[in-house]
PDB file of all heavy atoms in Angstrom:
ATOM      1  N   LEU A 314      -3.974  10.812 -24.391  1.00 91.00           N
ATOM      2  CA  LEU A 314      -4.367  11.968 -25.185  1.00 91.00           C
ATOM      3  C   LEU A 314      -3.347  12.237 -26.289  1.00 91.00           C
ATOM      4  O   LEU A 314      -3.714  12.573 -27.428  1.00 91.00           O
ATOM      5  CB  LEU A 314      -4.516  13.192 -24.284  1.00 91.00           C
ATOM      6  CG  LEU A 314      -5.001  14.470 -24.961  1.00 91.00           C
ATOM      7  CD1 LEU A 314      -6.387  14.270 -25.556  1.00 91.00           C
ATOM      8  CD2 LEU A 314      -5.023  15.622 -23.958  1.00 91.00           C
ATOM      9  N   LEU A 315      -2.067  12.095 -25.973  1.00 92.00           N
ATOM     10  CA  LEU A 315      -1.023  12.265 -26.987  1.00 92.00           C
ATOM     11  C   LEU A 315      -1.177  11.229 -28.095  1.00 92.00           C
ATOM     12  O   LEU A 315      -0.995  11.535 -29.278  1.00 92.00           O
ATOM     13  CB  LEU A 315       0.357  12.134 -26.331  1.00 92.00           C
ATOM     14  CG  LEU A 315       1.571  12.220 -27.265  1.00 92.00           C
ATOM     15  CD1 LEU A 315       1.609  13.572 -27.971  1.00 92.00           C
ATOM     16  CD2 LEU A 315       2.858  11.987 -26.477  1.00 92.00           C
ATOM     17  N   ASP A 316      -1.535  10.010 -27.717  1.00 91.00           N
ATOM     18  CA  ASP A 316      -1.749   8.952 -28.699  1.00 91.00           C
ATOM     19  C   ASP A 316      -2.907   9.305 -29.630  1.00 91.00           C
ATOM     20  O   ASP A 316      -2.857   9.052 -30.839  1.00 91.00           O
ATOM     21  CB  ASP A 316      -2.021   7.638 -27.976  1.00 91.00           C
ATOM     22  CG  ASP A 316      -2.066   6.455 -28.916  1.00 91.00           C
ATOM     23  OD1 ASP A 316      -0.996   5.978 -29.324  1.00 91.00           O
ATOM     24  OD2 ASP A 316      -3.178   5.997 -29.257  1.00 91.00           O
ATOM     25  N   VAL A 317      -3.955   9.905 -29.083  1.00 92.00           N
ATOM     26  CA  VAL A 317      -5.102  10.326 -29.892  1.00 92.00           C
ATOM     27  C   VAL A 317      -4.672  11.385 -30.904  1.00 92.00           C
ATOM     28  O   VAL A 317      -5.058  11.346 -32.081  1.00 92.00           O
ATOM     29  CB  VAL A 317      -6.227  10.870 -28.993  1.00 92.00           C
ATOM     30  CG1 VAL A 317      -7.316  11.544 -29.830  1.00 92.00           C
ATOM     31  CG2 VAL A 317      -6.833   9.745 -28.174  1.00 92.00           C
ATOM     32  N   VAL A 318      -3.872  12.339 -30.453  1.00 93.00           N
ATOM     33  CA  VAL A 318      -3.391  13.402 -31.350  1.00 93.00           C
ATOM     34  C   VAL A 318      -2.568  12.811 -32.492  1.00 93.00           C
ATOM     35  O   VAL A 318      -2.716  13.208 -33.655  1.00 93.00           O
ATOM     36  CB  VAL A 318      -2.558  14.430 -30.558  1.00 93.00           C
ATOM     37  CG1 VAL A 318      -1.920  15.444 -31.496  1.00 93.00           C
ATOM     38  CG2 VAL A 318      -3.430  15.139 -29.520  1.00 93.00           C
ATOM     39  N   VAL A 319      -1.713  11.855 -32.173  1.00 91.00           N
ATOM     40  CA  VAL A 319      -0.893  11.215 -33.212  1.00 91.00           C
ATOM     41  C   VAL A 319      -1.786  10.498 -34.222  1.00 91.00           C
ATOM     42  O   VAL A 319      -1.558  10.569 -35.432  1.00 91.00           O
ATOM     43  CB  VAL A 319       0.114  10.230 -32.581  1.00 91.00           C
ATOM     44  CG1 VAL A 319       0.833   9.443 -33.668  1.00 91.00           C
ATOM     45  CG2 VAL A 319       1.124  10.984 -31.733  1.00 91.00           C
ATOM     46  N   HIS A 320      -2.819   9.811 -33.740  1.00 90.00           N
ATOM     47  CA  HIS A 320      -3.755   9.134 -34.648  1.00 90.00           C
ATOM     48  C   HIS A 320      -4.431  10.134 -35.585  1.00 90.00           C
ATOM     49  O   HIS A 320      -4.618   9.855 -36.779  1.00 90.00           O
ATOM     50  CB  HIS A 320      -4.823   8.380 -33.854  1.00 90.00           C
ATOM     51  CG  HIS A 320      -4.406   7.011 -33.426  1.00 90.00           C
ATOM     52  ND1 HIS A 320      -4.106   6.001 -34.317  1.00 90.00           N
ATOM     53  CD2 HIS A 320      -4.244   6.467 -32.187  1.00 90.00           C
ATOM     54  CE1 HIS A 320      -3.783   4.904 -33.653  1.00 90.00           C
ATOM     55  NE2 HIS A 320      -3.851   5.171 -32.361  1.00 90.00           N
ATOM     56  N   LEU A 321      -4.823  11.279 -35.022  1.00 91.00           N
ATOM     57  CA  LEU A 321      -5.513  12.285 -35.832  1.00 91.00           C
ATOM     58  C   LEU A 321      -4.588  12.926 -36.861  1.00 91.00           C
ATOM     59  O   LEU A 321      -4.994  13.204 -38.000  1.00 91.00           O
ATOM     60  CB  LEU A 321      -6.104  13.363 -34.925  1.00 91.00           C
ATOM     61  CG  LEU A 321      -7.275  12.934 -34.031  1.00 91.00           C
ATOM     62  CD1 LEU A 321      -7.641  14.049 -33.061  1.00 91.00           C
ATOM     63  CD2 LEU A 321      -8.487  12.548 -34.877  1.00 91.00           C
ATOM     64  N   VAL A 322      -3.344  13.172 -36.483  1.00 90.00           N
ATOM     65  CA  VAL A 322      -2.397  13.848 -37.375  1.00 90.00           C
ATOM     66  C   VAL A 322      -1.866  12.907 -38.450  1.00 90.00           C
ATOM     67  O   VAL A 322      -1.669  13.310 -39.605  1.00 90.00           O
ATOM     68  CB  VAL A 322      -1.227  14.439 -36.556  1.00 90.00           C
ATOM     69  CG1 VAL A 322      -0.156  15.000 -37.481  1.00 90.00           C
ATOM     70  CG2 VAL A 322      -1.735  15.522 -35.614  1.00 90.00           C
ATOM     71  N   LEU A 323      -1.646  11.641 -38.080  1.00 86.00           N
ATOM     72  CA  LEU A 323      -1.055  10.692 -39.021  1.00 86.00           C
ATOM     73  C   LEU A 323      -2.087  10.264 -40.061  1.00 86.00           C
ATOM     74  O   LEU A 323      -3.107   9.652 -39.718  1.00 86.00           O
ATOM     75  CB  LEU A 323      -0.545   9.470 -38.264  1.00 86.00           C
ATOM     76  CG  LEU A 323       0.216   8.420 -39.084  1.00 86.00           C
ATOM     77  CD1 LEU A 323       1.514   9.013 -39.621  1.00 86.00           C
ATOM     78  CD2 LEU A 323       0.516   7.193 -38.230  1.00 86.00           C
ATOM     79  N   PRO A 324      -1.855  10.566 -41.354  1.00 86.00           N
ATOM     80  CA  PRO A 324      -2.831  10.185 -42.386  1.00 86.00           C
ATOM     81  C   PRO A 324      -2.755   8.702 -42.720  1.00 86.00           C
ATOM     82  O   PRO A 324      -1.718   8.059 -42.547  1.00 86.00           O
ATOM     83  CB  PRO A 324      -2.407  11.047 -43.577  1.00 86.00           C
ATOM     84  CG  PRO A 324      -0.931  11.238 -43.393  1.00 86.00           C
ATOM     85  CD  PRO A 324      -0.704  11.305 -41.905  1.00 86.00           C
ATOM     86  N   VAL A 325      -3.876   8.181 -43.174  1.00 82.00           N
ATOM     87  CA  VAL A 325      -3.925   6.796 -43.627  1.00 82.00           C
ATOM     88  C   VAL A 325      -3.438   6.744 -45.078  1.00 82.00           C
ATOM     89  O   VAL A 325      -3.936   7.491 -45.917  1.00 82.00           O
ATOM     90  CB  VAL A 325      -5.360   6.239 -43.536  1.00 82.00           C
ATOM     91  CG1 VAL A 325      -5.427   4.824 -44.113  1.00 82.00           C
ATOM     92  CG2 VAL A 325      -5.832   6.253 -42.092  1.00 82.00           C
ATOM     93  N   PRO A 326      -2.465   5.899 -45.400  1.00 80.00           N
ATOM     94  CA  PRO A 326      -1.962   5.842 -46.781  1.00 80.00           C
ATOM     95  C   PRO A 326      -3.023   5.298 -47.735  1.00 80.00           C
ATOM     96  O   PRO A 326      -3.837   4.446 -47.360  1.00 80.00           O
ATOM     97  CB  PRO A 326      -0.762   4.903 -46.678  1.00 80.00           C
ATOM     98  CG  PRO A 326      -1.054   4.033 -45.500  1.00 80.00           C
ATOM     99  CD  PRO A 326      -1.786   4.909 -44.534  1.00 80.00           C
ATOM    100  N   SER A 327      -3.008   5.812 -48.965  1.00 79.00           N
ATOM    101  CA  SER A 327      -3.939   5.304 -49.970  1.00 79.00           C
ATOM    102  C   SER A 327      -3.516   3.915 -50.414  1.00 79.00           C
ATOM    103  O   SER A 327      -2.374   3.495 -50.214  1.00 79.00           O
ATOM    104  CB  SER A 327      -3.978   6.250 -51.170  1.00 79.00           C
ATOM    105  OG  SER A 327      -2.706   6.294 -51.808  1.00 79.00           O
ATOM    106  N   ARG A 328      -4.444   3.209 -51.034  1.00 74.00           N
ATOM    107  CA  ARG A 328      -4.114   1.865 -51.505  1.00 74.00           C
ATOM    108  C   ARG A 328      -3.028   1.908 -52.573  1.00 74.00           C
ATOM    109  O   ARG A 328      -2.193   1.001 -52.675  1.00 74.00           O
ATOM    110  CB  ARG A 328      -5.370   1.200 -52.068  1.00 74.00           C
ATOM    111  CG  ARG A 328      -6.434   0.876 -51.046  1.00 74.00           C
ATOM    112  CD  ARG A 328      -5.893  -0.058 -49.957  1.00 74.00           C
ATOM    113  NE  ARG A 328      -5.394   0.671 -48.788  1.00 74.00           N
ATOM    114  CZ  ARG A 328      -4.733   0.097 -47.808  1.00 74.00           C
ATOM    115  NH1 ARG A 328      -4.460  -1.195 -47.832  1.00 74.00           N
ATOM    116  NH2 ARG A 328      -4.317   0.815 -46.781  1.00 74.00           N
ATOM    117  N   ASP A 329      -3.043   2.968 -53.421  1.00 69.00           N
ATOM    118  CA  ASP A 329      -2.002   3.100 -54.442  1.00 69.00           C
ATOM    119  C   ASP A 329      -0.630   3.235 -53.798  1.00 69.00           C
ATOM    120  O   ASP A 329       0.360   2.670 -54.277  1.00 69.00           O
ATOM    121  CB  ASP A 329      -2.287   4.313 -55.333  1.00 69.00           C
ATOM    122  CG  ASP A 329      -3.538   4.125 -56.176  1.00 69.00           C
ATOM    123  OD1 ASP A 329      -3.935   2.952 -56.394  1.00 69.00           O
ATOM    124  OD2 ASP A 329      -4.121   5.138 -56.608  1.00 69.00           O
ATOM    125  N   THR A 330      -0.575   3.993 -52.693  1.00 68.00           N
ATOM    126  CA  THR A 330       0.698   4.175 -51.994  1.00 68.00           C
ATOM    127  C   THR A 330       1.188   2.856 -51.410  1.00 68.00           C
ATOM    128  O   THR A 330       2.375   2.528 -51.476  1.00 68.00           O
ATOM    129  CB  THR A 330       0.547   5.210 -50.867  1.00 68.00           C
ATOM    130  OG1 THR A 330       0.090   6.448 -51.408  1.00 68.00           O
ATOM    131  CG2 THR A 330       1.862   5.423 -50.147  1.00 68.00           C
ATOM    132  N   VAL A 331       0.266   2.076 -50.864  1.00 67.00           N
ATOM    133  CA  VAL A 331       0.634   0.783 -50.290  1.00 67.00           C
ATOM    134  C   VAL A 331       1.149  -0.153 -51.370  1.00 67.00           C
ATOM    135  O   VAL A 331       2.170  -0.841 -51.188  1.00 67.00           O
ATOM    136  CB  VAL A 331      -0.566   0.161 -49.559  1.00 67.00           C
ATOM    137  CG1 VAL A 331      -0.232  -1.247 -49.084  1.00 67.00           C
ATOM    138  CG2 VAL A 331      -0.993   1.026 -48.391  1.00 67.00           C
ATOM    139  N   GLU A 332       0.455  -0.184 -52.523  1.00 70.00           N
ATOM    140  CA  GLU A 332       0.897  -1.053 -53.616  1.00 70.00           C
ATOM    141  C   GLU A 332       2.251  -0.618 -54.149  1.00 70.00           C
ATOM    142  O   GLU A 332       3.099  -1.442 -54.496  1.00 70.00           O
ATOM    143  CB  GLU A 332      -0.144  -1.032 -54.734  1.00 70.00           C
ATOM    144  CG  GLU A 332      -1.472  -1.661 -54.368  1.00 70.00           C
ATOM    145  CD  GLU A 332      -1.325  -3.133 -54.010  1.00 70.00           C
ATOM    146  OE1 GLU A 332      -0.445  -3.798 -54.590  1.00 70.00           O
ATOM    147  OE2 GLU A 332      -2.088  -3.606 -53.148  1.00 70.00           O
ATOM    148  N   LYS A 333       2.466   0.706 -54.205  1.00 69.00           N
ATOM    149  CA  LYS A 333       3.745   1.218 -54.674  1.00 69.00           C
ATOM    150  C   LYS A 333       4.870   0.819 -53.727  1.00 69.00           C
ATOM    151  O   LYS A 333       5.972   0.471 -54.164  1.00 69.00           O
ATOM    152  CB  LYS A 333       3.679   2.743 -54.808  1.00 69.00           C
ATOM    153  CG  LYS A 333       4.951   3.360 -55.376  1.00 69.00           C
ATOM    154  CD  LYS A 333       4.807   4.869 -55.511  1.00 69.00           C
ATOM    155  CE  LYS A 333       6.089   5.487 -56.058  1.00 69.00           C
ATOM    156  NZ  LYS A 333       5.967   6.963 -56.184  1.00 69.00           N
ATOM    157  N   MET A 334       4.600   0.847 -52.433  1.00 66.00           N
ATOM    158  CA  MET A 334       5.603   0.449 -51.454  1.00 66.00           C
ATOM    159  C   MET A 334       5.927  -1.032 -51.585  1.00 66.00           C
ATOM    160  O   MET A 334       7.075  -1.451 -51.423  1.00 66.00           O
ATOM    161  CB  MET A 334       5.103   0.756 -50.041  1.00 66.00           C
ATOM    162  CG  MET A 334       4.970   2.227 -49.738  1.00 66.00           C
ATOM    163  SD  MET A 334       4.315   2.560 -48.082  1.00 66.00           S
ATOM    164  CE  MET A 334       5.624   1.895 -47.084  1.00 66.00           C
ATOM    165  N   LYS A 335       4.923  -1.835 -51.920  1.00 64.00           N
ATOM    166  CA  LYS A 335       5.172  -3.263 -52.116  1.00 64.00           C
ATOM    167  C   LYS A 335       6.086  -3.494 -53.306  1.00 64.00           C
ATOM    168  O   LYS A 335       6.986  -4.345 -53.275  1.00 64.00           O
ATOM    169  CB  LYS A 335       3.841  -3.998 -52.326  1.00 64.00           C
ATOM    170  CG  LYS A 335       2.981  -4.098 -51.085  1.00 64.00           C
ATOM    171  CD  LYS A 335       1.721  -4.880 -51.387  1.00 64.00           C
ATOM    172  CE  LYS A 335       0.847  -5.024 -50.148  1.00 64.00           C
ATOM    173  NZ  LYS A 335      -0.395  -5.777 -50.435  1.00 64.00           N
ATOM    174  N   VAL A 336       5.867  -2.726 -54.377  1.00 66.00           N
ATOM    175  CA  VAL A 336       6.703  -2.854 -55.574  1.00 66.00           C
ATOM    176  C   VAL A 336       8.126  -2.416 -55.289  1.00 66.00           C
ATOM    177  O   VAL A 336       9.105  -3.047 -55.719  1.00 66.00           O
ATOM    178  CB  VAL A 336       6.107  -2.032 -56.734  1.00 66.00           C
ATOM    179  CG1 VAL A 336       7.058  -2.033 -57.934  1.00 66.00           C
ATOM    180  CG2 VAL A 336       4.756  -2.589 -57.139  1.00 66.00           C
ATOM    181  N   GLU A 337       8.273  -1.320 -54.556  1.00 63.00           N
ATOM    182  CA  GLU A 337       9.608  -0.816 -54.237  1.00 63.00           C
ATOM    183  C   GLU A 337      10.377  -1.783 -53.349  1.00 63.00           C
ATOM    184  O   GLU A 337      11.605  -1.833 -53.382  1.00 63.00           O
ATOM    185  CB  GLU A 337       9.493   0.545 -53.548  1.00 63.00           C
ATOM    186  CG  GLU A 337       8.999   1.653 -54.472  1.00 63.00           C
ATOM    187  CD  GLU A 337       8.827   2.957 -53.735  1.00 63.00           C
ATOM    188  OE1 GLU A 337       8.937   2.939 -52.490  1.00 63.00           O
ATOM    189  OE2 GLU A 337       8.575   3.995 -54.387  1.00 63.00           O
ATOM    190  N   ASP A 338       9.643  -2.558 -52.528  1.00 60.00           N
ATOM    191  CA  ASP A 338      10.304  -3.538 -51.668  1.00 60.00           C
ATOM    192  C   ASP A 338      10.843  -4.722 -52.455  1.00 60.00           C
ATOM    193  O   ASP A 338      11.636  -5.508 -51.936  1.00 60.00           O
ATOM    194  CB  ASP A 338       9.340  -4.046 -50.593  1.00 60.00           C
ATOM    195  CG  ASP A 338       9.026  -2.971 -49.570  1.00 60.00           C
ATOM    196  OD1 ASP A 338       9.827  -2.013 -49.472  1.00 60.00           O
ATOM    197  OD2 ASP A 338       7.999  -3.080 -48.884  1.00 60.00           O
ATOM    198  N   GLY A 339      10.445  -4.844 -53.708  1.00 54.00           N
ATOM    199  CA  GLY A 339      10.949  -5.929 -54.552  1.00 54.00           C
ATOM    200  C   GLY A 339      10.084  -7.156 -54.458  1.00 54.00           C
ATOM    201  O   GLY A 339       9.147  -7.229 -53.656  1.00 54.00           O
ATOM    202  N   PRO A 340      10.365  -8.157 -55.303  1.00 52.00           N
ATOM    203  CA  PRO A 340       9.573  -9.387 -55.288  1.00 52.00           C
ATOM    204  C   PRO A 340       9.711 -10.132 -53.975  1.00 52.00           C
ATOM    205  O   PRO A 340      10.688  -9.985 -53.256  1.00 52.00           O
ATOM    206  CB  PRO A 340      10.158 -10.199 -56.458  1.00 52.00           C
ATOM    207  CG  PRO A 340      11.559  -9.680 -56.598  1.00 52.00           C
ATOM    208  CD  PRO A 340      11.481  -8.224 -56.257  1.00 52.00           C
ATOM    209  N   THR A 341       8.721 -10.928 -53.705  1.00 50.00           N
ATOM    210  CA  THR A 341       8.732 -11.707 -52.475  1.00 50.00           C
ATOM    211  C   THR A 341       9.843 -12.739 -52.515  1.00 50.00           C
ATOM    212  O   THR A 341      10.054 -13.422 -53.513  1.00 50.00           O
ATOM    213  CB  THR A 341       7.385 -12.421 -52.291  1.00 50.00           C
ATOM    214  OG1 THR A 341       6.347 -11.441 -52.331  1.00 50.00           O
ATOM    215  CG2 THR A 341       7.350 -13.174 -50.966  1.00 50.00           C
ATOM    216  N   LYS A 342      10.583 -12.855 -51.422  1.00 52.00           N
ATOM    217  CA  LYS A 342      11.677 -13.809 -51.356  1.00 52.00           C
ATOM    218  C   LYS A 342      11.133 -15.237 -51.349  1.00 52.00           C
ATOM    219  O   LYS A 342      10.143 -15.530 -50.676  1.00 52.00           O
ATOM    220  CB  LYS A 342      12.515 -13.573 -50.097  1.00 52.00           C
ATOM    221  CG  LYS A 342      13.235 -12.243 -50.091  1.00 52.00           C
ATOM    222  CD  LYS A 342      14.071 -12.107 -48.839  1.00 52.00           C
ATOM    223  CE  LYS A 342      14.804 -10.765 -48.813  1.00 52.00           C
ATOM    224  NZ  LYS A 342      15.625 -10.624 -47.595  1.00 52.00           N
TER     225      LYS A 342
END
Side-chain angles (χ1 to χ4, degrees):
L314 183 61
L315 177 61
D316 188 78
V317 170
V318 173
V319 173
H320 275 297
L321 291 173
V322 173
L323 185 65
V325 176
S327 64
R328 292 301 94 189
D329 293 338
T330 302
V331 174
E332 293 299 327
K333 184 179 179 181
M334 293 178 65
K335 289 182 179 179
V336 174
E337 291 177 351
D338 290 340
T341 305
K342 295 182 180 180

